[in-house]
């Protein structure tokens, strides 16, 4: 499960006469990830598309253009049938849709022009002046626009070029008539005078009608155009309903036809023969051989060139002959001694008279395509498969790498649930995930929904253990009798719990990072034991040694190391935080788990382990690696404290929302209880209710009188709903993103490189369609 599915490289060689049948067969299998021929063999060229490819491509472009015009989508329209006379039907649809689309464009343009005319004439209607009175003068300048009348009047009075003027107003519109002073021209007279103020000019429409009549006529024209536009859109919708299914199915079939027709572009071909290579899952080899043999008999020679090894498929390959047996000239010392390329060239230049012999020569000679890594098929348990999405968001794993999907599945929802830990939020996360799974048809959408369901489920589990429903304890609503309910606490009010989560988060980080380093060690073994030791085992020693020492305790003189200049207590217990190790009152691991820390001798060995690992890092990675020791051995582990930070932050936010809504009482011991209406407790942890005073009066208790109380209760409901929605959404961004960061930055960095090629088999993975 941590390895991709094992892949085999196969070669198919035969006469070009059977190539179309072979292409059709492997397309139906949807099994072979075809490799591209790189043109390296003399006498072999990349093949040409099968006859009819250009015509099919043109029709495919036409169909997709029609789908775009009709706004067709598989989500809205079910694929129909094609039939024998599909070409004539396609031409009819194309002609009809193009005509309607042209009409639609023309009508929309006419409608836009009418709207512009209406916008231009609207200001003149407010003036109530006939449009023919606002233009055509030789001795005065007339201007209409929008501006402040007082500012316009002041500007006109100050203009020496204007002898007299008059202003007419209507709404926000100002009409100006100005006569020039003697010797001045009317051209631009008013425009020049208004340069210093804000004024928007409106051109006078060219019509003899009154503004009201003009607007009325334009309005009628607009209604007619809108009616015409609606008719055209209705006609397009009818075409969509009648022919949408046909177009979708035709696109599918033409896409398949084009894909098949262009497949020879990836083949190595001569005038009479072809060789094709590709990758298939190792377990599917026999199915490929059976299918091709059933289709073309012995006309094609199939050989399994190699079974790709994970460490180095080029050198660790297990090559053996496939359906064609050993093949002619494929065994014996002489065949092994002969270079492979001349044999292939002979097969290419002899005219390809024998398909079988040509194929055998080509196949037995080895790969003819560029030397590429195998494509990757991730092989995971069904529950873990949706989490492949999170891995691929970084990059597809290489074939030689360990696949981290299973580990992401085991850690991501667990950590998410730990950080949020609330039954109410968890149920909502599950509902959101189910909605996402239901709405989206894509694999990515369904995977995202499934991840949400898993994260929500763990949030419910931890919420049950934390005793939280929207920040309210189950015991406060009568559910405290349930087994294990409230067996854990988030630590908002009990500091020992918060300290425990700090230590356990560090422990979780140590385990998580160790798994990553071990996986990195396994990956590096393909580069040699020395590389694995210096590049990964060194960090395992350094990180674990440091934290073994940190979690060790010791009393002065308890361990006689016999080295006089060293301190007696090599565990340095007195310098470590009191809550970390030991049996004191502050030692939380001892209080909760009875663990006082590792013995001093173990701590000393851990310190030695750290120093040895650090030395190995310095030798293996040089000065740069030495400077990285604090970050890799210590800082990356402490990065997991963000889990506690999110736990306390989201728990605190939910607590704050409930505090605003309900208010609370505080006991003399400092513990806070929400003041739920109707649930006043007469005895809280041994304190009489009368002895307690409100710490905070919530909205639900803030009312004084019926009306004020009703308003306060309504406000409390709004704050409760909106507040918890905010916490819910921030939980996604906080817990979700923070755990992704721990996966991608801290965990993946220890072993993961990515950059693999995704397995994309030649063919169609849709279910079989019914016959027309």
């Amino acid at each position: 499960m941590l390895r991709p599915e094992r892949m085999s490289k196969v070669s198919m060689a035969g006469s070009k006469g059977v190539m179309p049948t072979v292409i059709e067969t492997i397309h139906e299998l949807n099994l072979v990830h075809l490799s591209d021929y790189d043109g390296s063999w003399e006498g072999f060229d990349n093949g040409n598309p099968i006859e009819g490819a250009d015509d099919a491509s043109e029709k495919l472009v036409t169909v997709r253009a029609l789908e775009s015009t009709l706004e067709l989508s598989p989500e809205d329209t079910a694929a129909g049938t094609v039939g024998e006379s599909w070409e004539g039907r396609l031409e009819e649809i194309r002609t009809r849709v193009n005509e309607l689309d042209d009409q639609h464009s023309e009508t929309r343009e006419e409608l836009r022009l009418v709207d512009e005319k209406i916008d231009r004439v609207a200001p003149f209607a407010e003036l109530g002046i006939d449009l023919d009175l606002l233009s055509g003068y030789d001795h005065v300048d007339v201007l209409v626009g929008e501006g402040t009348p007082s500012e316009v009047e002041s500007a006109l009075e100050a203009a020496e070029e204007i002898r007299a003027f008059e202003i007419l107003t209507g709404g926000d519109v100002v009409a100006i008539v100005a006569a020039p002073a003697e010797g001045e021209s009317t051209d631009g007279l008013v425009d020049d005078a208004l340069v210093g103020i804000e004024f928007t000019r409106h051109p006078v429409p060219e019509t003899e009608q009154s503004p009201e009549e003009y607007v009325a006529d334009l309005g009628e024209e607009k209604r007619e155009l809108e009616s015409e536009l609606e008719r055209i859109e209705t006609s397009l919708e009818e075409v969509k309903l009648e022919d949408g299914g046909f177009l979708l199915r035709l696109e599918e079939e033409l896409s398949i036809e084009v894909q098949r027709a262009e497949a020879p572009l990836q083949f190595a071909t001569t005038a009479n023969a072809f060789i094709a290579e590709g990758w298939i899952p190792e377990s599917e080899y026999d199915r490929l051989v059976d299918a091709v043999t059933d289709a073309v008999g012995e006309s094609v020679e199939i050989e399994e060139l190699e079974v790709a090894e994970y460490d180095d498929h080029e050198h660790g390959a297990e090559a053996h002959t496939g359906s064609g047996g050993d093949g002619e000239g494929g065994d014996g010392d002489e065949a092994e001694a002969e270079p492979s390329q001349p044999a292939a060239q002979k097969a290419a230049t002899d005219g390809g008279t024998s398909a079988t012999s040509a194929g055998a020569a080509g196949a037995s000679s080895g790969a003819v395509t560029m030397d590429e890594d195998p494509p990757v098929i991730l092989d995971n348990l069904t529950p873990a498969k949706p989490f492949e999405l999170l891995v691929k968001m970084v990059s597809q794993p290489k074939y030689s790498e360990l696949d981290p999907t299973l580990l992401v599945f085991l850690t991501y929802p667990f950590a998410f649930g730990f950080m949020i830990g609330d039954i109410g939020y968890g149920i909502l996360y599950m509902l959101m995930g189910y909605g996402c799974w239901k709405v989206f048809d894509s694999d990515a959408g369904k995977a995202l929904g499934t991840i949400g369901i898993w994260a929500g489920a763990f949030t419910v589990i931890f919420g049950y253990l934390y005793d939280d429903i929207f920040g309210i304890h189950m015991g406060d609503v009568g559910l405290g009798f349930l087994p294990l309910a409230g067996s854990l606490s988030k630590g908002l009010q009990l500091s020992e719990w918060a300290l425990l989560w700090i230590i356990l988060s560090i422990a979780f980080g140590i385990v998580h990072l160790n798994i990553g380093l071990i996986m990195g060690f396994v990956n590096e073994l393909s580069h040699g034991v020395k590389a694995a030791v210096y590049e990964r085992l060194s960090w395992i020693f350094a990180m674990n040694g440091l934290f073994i020492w940190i979690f060790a305790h010791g009393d002065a003189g308890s361990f006689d190391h016999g080295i006089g200049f060293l301190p007696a207590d090599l565990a340095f217990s007195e310098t470590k935080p009191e809550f970390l190790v030991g049996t004191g009152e502050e030692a939380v691991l001892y209080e909760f788990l009875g663990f006082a820390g590792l013995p001093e001798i173990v701590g000393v060995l851990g310190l030695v382990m750290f120093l040895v690992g650090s030395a190995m890092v310095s030798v293996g990675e040089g000065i740069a690696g030495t400077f990285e020791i604090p970050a890799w051995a210590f800082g990356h582990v402490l990065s997991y404290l963000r889990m506690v930070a999110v736990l306390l932050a989201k728990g605190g936010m939910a607590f704050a929302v409930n505090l605003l809504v309900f208010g609370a009482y505080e006991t003399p011991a400092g513990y806070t209880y929400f003041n739920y209406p109707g649930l006043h407790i007469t005895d809280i942890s041994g304190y009489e209710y009368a002895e307690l005073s409100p710490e905070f009066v919530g909205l639900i208790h803030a009312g004084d009188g019926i009306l004020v109380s009703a308003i306060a209760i309504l406000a409390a409901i709004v704050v409760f709903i909106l507040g918890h929605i905010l916490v819910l959404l921030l939980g996604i961004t906080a817990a979700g993103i923070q755990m992704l960061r721990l996966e991608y930055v801290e965990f993946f960095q220890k072993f993961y490189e990515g950059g693999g090629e995704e397995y994309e088999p030649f063919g169609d993975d849709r279910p079989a369609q019914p016959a027309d």
Side-chain angles (χ1 to χ4, degrees), residues 2-84:
L2 294 179
R3 286 290 191 185
E5 190 167 342
R6 189 175 291 275
M7 302 296 290
S8 295
K9 192 168 191 179
V10 297
S11 171
M12 294 172 286
S15 66
K16 291 184 73 173
V18 298
M19 186 170 68
T21 305
V22 172
I23 291 173
E24 182 177 355
T25 301
I26 63 174
H27 188 278
E28 291 176 354
L29 284 174
N30 189 39
L31 189 61
V32 182
H33 179 100
L34 289 174
S35 300
D36 292 321
Y37 171 56
D38 63 0
S40 61
W41 275 26
E42 185 179 349
F44 281 82
D45 297 315
N46 292 93
N48 297 316
I50 296 173
E51 184 178 355
D54 291 340
D55 183 57
S57 296
E58 291 177 5
K59 287 183 170 57
L60 181 59
V61 170
T62 299
V63 170
R64 287 174 174 168
L66 292 173
E67 290 177 343
S68 177
T69 301
L70 295 173
E71 298 180 352
L72 271 175
S73 67
E75 291 79 12
D76 302 330
T77 307
T81 57
V82 173
E84 295 182 358

Side-chain angles (χ1 to χ4, degrees), residues 347 395 439 464 617 706:
S395 180
V439 169
Y464 181 84
V617 169
I706 297 178

Side-chain angles (χ1 to χ4, degrees), residues 349-367:
T349 56
D350 66 0
T353 55
S354 171
T356 304
S357 61
S364 64
S365 63

Side-chain angles (χ1 to χ4, degrees), residues 44-119:
F44 281 82
D45 297 315
N46 292 93
N48 297 316
I50 296 173
E51 184 178 355
D54 291 340
D55 183 57
S57 296
E58 291 177 5
K59 287 183 170 57
L60 181 59
V61 170
T62 299
V63 170
R64 287 174 174 168
L66 292 173
E67 290 177 343
S68 177
T69 301
L70 295 173
E71 298 180 352
L72 271 175
S73 67
E75 291 79 12
D76 302 330
T77 307
T81 57
V82 173
E84 295 182 358
S85 58
W86 63 268
E87 292 184 83
R89 183 177 178 184
L90 176 62
E91 181 60 24
E92 291 177 1
I93 297 171
R94 186 193 67 80
T95 302
R96 176 65 173 153
V97 170
N98 286 347
E99 289 176 354
L100 291 171
D101 190 47
D102 290 342
Q103 293 174 18
H104 191 269
S105 299
E106 292 171 2
T107 305
R108 284 182 62 87
E109 178 62 19
E110 292 178 11
L111 186 58
R112 185 187 66 81
L113 294 175
V114 169
D115 284 334
E116 287 183 358
K117 291 178 181 179
I118 292 174
D119 291 340

